[in-house]
Amino acid sequence: MILLLGNLLLFLVALAAAPRLGWLWQALFPGISRPVWDSQSWFALLAEHLMLALGATLIAALIGLSAAILATRPAGRALRPLLDSMFSLAQAVPPIAAIALALPLMGFGAAPTLLALVLYAALPVMRSAVAGLDAVPAAVLDAARGTGMGPGRILAQIELPLALPVIQAGLRVALVLAIATTAVGAVAGARCLGTPIVTGLANGNLSWVLQGAVFTAWLAVIADQALRLGLDPERRRSNGRLAPAR
Amino acid sequence: MEPQPVAVLHATERREASAAPREATAVAVLTALAALAPFLLGFLSVAPNRLLSPRLVPLPVTTATTLCLGLFLVACLAVMLLARRAPLLNWAEAAAALALCSLVAVIGLAAREALQGASPVARAAPAAGLWVAMLLLALAAGCCAAGRSGTPRNFMALSVLGLAVLWAAGALADLSLAREAMARGGEIRLAFWQHLALAGGALFLALAVALPLSLLALRRSRVEALLMAVANGFQVIPSIALFGLLMGPLAALAAWAPALRGWGIGGIGPAPAVLGISTYLLLPLASAFLAGLRVASPAVIDAARGQGLTEGAILRQLRLPLGLGVMAGGVRVAAVQAIGLATLAALIGGGGLGALVFQGIGQLATDLILLGVLPVVALSLLADGGCAALQAALERRR
């Protein structure tokens, strides 16, 4: 916890200090005339990055959770093969391809990135929620039915609480994935911490690339660190990360 | 990717209801939607030139288009009917491939018809209906395969074959995608081989690092902890940031030792891309190698030691043959990831199919984006299918 807070504080200080460190960037990249990134404030980029990632995770959580609940009901059994096949198809399409395909339909900006983020973040949520709901012992459900509980109450009071740890693990994966993938969205014009990387690459300004890359990577590390805090020690080591798509 | 429990689940449920597999409903709904999609969303759109936005046109009615359209609808119906019997699911997959190819043929022929008499700069592109139908058919085929191995191998192989035949017969030549591909033939071929080289090089590099380290980690738990910590740590860093971080040091290295430039090592180019991609492959490879090497149970290993086998012989005769299937599974995940990650290499001047994608993004040219994305998707599906087949063969041999 202290480690995380320290890291976060250091990150924020570094964000505030970056535009004032002209001498450092100048020394590292002597050939570049404008080594300091000053087109946008780093905090504005951070805020947009987080809003995009959190918003996408929220939508993805709603979609993934409702799909998982549907697929684990007796009536929704037919949905299972579809979820499996969607999952394996999505593995074959890298997020940058999904963003690029959405671009002509939705135009430059945050929209194509948001769509791709929702699609990719919904999958781990769905997977883990299905696994969690499946793992609820049949005997428990029988006992609940025996006491006269209806299907709605069983879901709300028995199944979801029992599946919660697994669902939470899926949500964590989704959020880390979203924070990492948002950076790629800069290619399609989404404003985020990846923007200096893409702008720098386009202008041959390695100093901007380095600054953007450091902060993007740093944020991802902090997010991962924060989300591991809630995990129990056993999980924390083996972490239940699903095959990462990037 | 945890296929085992899912597969077990499928097997048991399949036994319960052997008549209509549980895939049937999903396949039927998806295929029905696929059959409707072109009628609802349009078959073909035509633009007076490359820059003006395309407009939907009605499907030209000729004998050829009607025949192909009929074939498409019959094939869709066949998918729905065949999927009702578990043993026929493979054939349902084949029918889905037939449906896909006949729909593409309809649109290719319609494009030729629509462009007859039009100016040579006019462009005919498939409307949203084709793309939606293709996606739905692929998902339906995936559902058919969900009970087996998860990858619709038959569907993929037959679709690729069918599309190749259509291409060779010239049925697709009038689509704007094909025209763009013809105009950029050399560029696309170069990008394709560059992409393969990037992904293959990264996979090779990662294998060369992961294999010896896994063998070492098998004996020393401290090496294992370190290897897994490093491999896990890299996974957290977004690829675009890692590529960016590698550029500076490699540029400095090349400046310090200019001879390295001759080897293609520098801040911009394939070197940081290959290095970056391979770091992400460490985790799937190392964890699968370690798991594979541990498939042979300690009791069996002890017995072998008791018989006087050397550690080398145990590795060659027990650990490797028994764990080969699991290890191939890791290579499968890594190969698919490498192909996807190589798309970003173009950002740092590494070339590959991503170069077409980014050029397309810059010009907002859908055809160009598709020319980059479609081969990437095809490559990763092929790599996944190929590795899955290899894995199955290795596990059967055991």
Side-chain angles (χ1 to χ4, degrees):
Chain A
M1 188 68 197
I2 293 167
L3 209 65
L4 169 68
L5 283 181
N7 200 355
L8 187 63
L9 199 66
L10 207 60
F11 176 64
L12 294 176
V13 169
L15 277 182
R20 298 183 181 83
L21 291 176
W23 55 271
L24 174 67
W25 311 123
Q26 195 70 68
L28 281 174
F29 300 95
I32 291 169
S33 58
R34 271 184 64 205
V36 180
W37 171 263
D38 47 12
S39 308
Q40 283 123 358
S41 129
W42 283 105
F43 288 101
L45 290 180
L46 173 69
E48 294 204 43
H49 194 117
L50 287 178
M51 256 161 51
L52 202 51
L54 289 175
T57 313
L58 201 67
I59 302 173
L62 286 177
I63 295 176
L65 205 56
S66 16
I69 290 176
L70 253 176
T72 46
R73 300 308 96 188
R77 225 171 58 110
L79 213 62
R80 281 298 185 83
L82 174 64
L83 299 188
D84 286 348
S85 95
M86 265 169 60
F87 200 85
S88 45
L89 189 68
Q91 304 253 305
V93 185
I96 176 64
I99 294 174
L101 287 178
L103 188 66
L105 302 175
M106 310 177 80
F108 277 99
T113 310
L114 189 67
L115 180 75
L117 284 178
V118 169
L119 283 179
Y120 282 93
L123 292 170
V125 176
M126 199 171 72
R127 263 254 160 136
S128 63
V130 166
L133 291 171
D134 267 350
V136 176
V140 174
L141 295 180
D142 276 344
R145 249 176 254 127
T147 58
M149 286 171 94
R153 270 187 70 198
I154 294 184
L155 177 67
Q157 296 181 2
I158 311 272
E159 288 186 82
L160 285 179
L162 282 178
L164 199 60
V166 187
I167 297 177
Q168 278 176 338
L171 280 173
R172 287 192 191 99
V173 174
L175 188 58
V176 171
L177 196 76
I179 287 180
T181 312
T182 302
V184 182
V187 175
R191 276 203 297 168
C192 60
L193 288 178
T195 305
I197 305 180
V198 173
T199 317
L201 287 169
N203 297 312
N205 191 325
L206 277 187
S207 175
W208 292 356
V209 174
L210 181 72
Q211 292 167 55
V214 166
F215 290 130
T216 305
W218 202 340
L219 179 68
V221 170
I222 289 176
D224 185 65
Q225 208 179 0
L227 295 172
R228 271 161 197 250
L229 270 184
L231 291 175
D232 52 274
E234 184 52 39
R235 273 264 176 77
R236 210 176 296 175
R237 259 189 293 114
S238 67
N239 79 22
R241 192 178 289 125
L242 295 149
R246 51 187 76 240
Chain B
M1 289 272 241
E2 298 128 35
Q4 289 89 352
V6 178
V8 171
L9 211 80
H10 281 280
T12 51
E13 284 189 20
R14 183 88 68 75
R15 232 172 289 137
E16 280 167 20
S18 61
R22 55 173 212 155
E23 287 87 1
T25 321
V27 173
V29 172
L30 286 169
T31 317
L33 288 174
L36 282 176
F39 292 98
L40 295 177
L41 302 171
F43 286 85
L44 193 71
S45 50
V46 173
N49 63 43
R50 194 170 172 255
L51 298 173
L52 288 177
S53 56
R55 281 231 182 101
L56 280 182
V57 293
L59 193 68
V61 181
T62 64
T63 328
T65 54
T66 317
L67 266 178
C68 287
L69 190 60
L71 189 59
F72 166 65
L73 292 174
V74 170
C76 283
L77 193 64
V79 176
M80 294 158 82
L81 293 177
L82 287 168
R84 301 197 53 77
R85 297 256 162 203
L88 297 179
L89 279 172
N90 282 338
W91 288 100
E93 249 185 71
L98 180 65
L100 188 141
C101 293
S102 45
L103 182 60
V104 172
V106 171
I107 285 158
L109 294 170
R112 176 180 302 170
E113 211 54 45
L115 291 185
Q116 234 154 36
S119 84
V121 290
R123 292 256 177 165
L130 173 76
W131 303 116
V132 172
M134 278 174 95
L135 183 68
L136 290 169
L137 283 173
L139 284 176
C143 288
C144 291
R148 191 161 34 78
S149 71
T151 44
R153 262 178 274 137
N154 305 340
F155 171 76
M156 269 149 40
L158 287 173
S159 305
V160 169
L161 193 72
L163 292 178
V165 168
L166 285 176
W167 175 270
L172 309 179
D174 290 299
L175 288 173
S176 73
L177 192 64
R179 287 196 178 173
E180 190 86 32
M182 294 293 233
R184 294 172 183 266
E187 199 184 332
I188 294 171
R189 268 193 294 278
L190 178 69
F192 182 83
W193 291 118
Q194 274 178 341
H195 201 93
L196 272 188
L198 285 169
L203 189 60
F204 182 77
L205 183 63
L207 278 171
V209 174
L211 198 56
L213 283 180
S214 307
L215 287 175
L216 194 65
L218 196 60
R219 307 260 177 73
R220 308 204 177 165
S221 59
R222 202 178 288 171
V223 174
E224 180 181 355
L226 192 69
L227 175 64
M228 292 323 269
V230 169
N232 260 316
F234 274 119
Q235 293 290 319
V236 176
I237 299 176
S239 46
I240 192 171
L242 185 65
F243 288 177
L245 287 175
L246 284 171
M247 286 176 83
L250 282 173
L253 190 69
W256 175 68
L260 287 175
R261 282 200 192 282
W263 295 70
I265 294 176
I268 287 182
V274 169
L275 205 60
I277 298 167
S278 63
T279 50
Y280 290 113
L281 308 184
L282 278 184
L283 183 68
L285 287 178
S287 55
F289 284 169
L290 277 169
L293 289 170
R294 289 192 175 128
V295 167
S297 70
V300 175
I301 304 274
D302 272 347
R305 274 201 200 108
Q307 287 189 330
L309 256 69
T310 61
E311 289 299 317
I314 289 177
L315 182 67
R316 274 192 308 278
Q317 295 172 15
L318 276 177
R319 288 192 190 273
L320 283 181
L322 284 177
L324 223 47
V326 176
M327 292 164 81
V331 176
R332 173 180 170 189
V333 175
V336 173
Q337 279 191 21
I339 291 168
L341 283 165
T343 317
L344 278 177
L347 266 187
I348 51 173
L353 291 162
L356 299 173
V357 177
F358 291 123
Q359 214 183 324
I361 288 178
Q363 304 174 0
L364 216 58
T366 316
D367 285 339
L368 206 48
I369 295 177
L370 282 170
L371 282 179
V373 169
L374 290 179
V376 171
V377 174
L379 264 182
S380 45
L381 287 175
L382 281 180
D384 189 52
C387 290
L390 180 76
Q391 195 184 351
L394 287 172
E395 271 166 5
R396 221 175 300 130
R397 218 188 49 176
R398 221 170 79 188

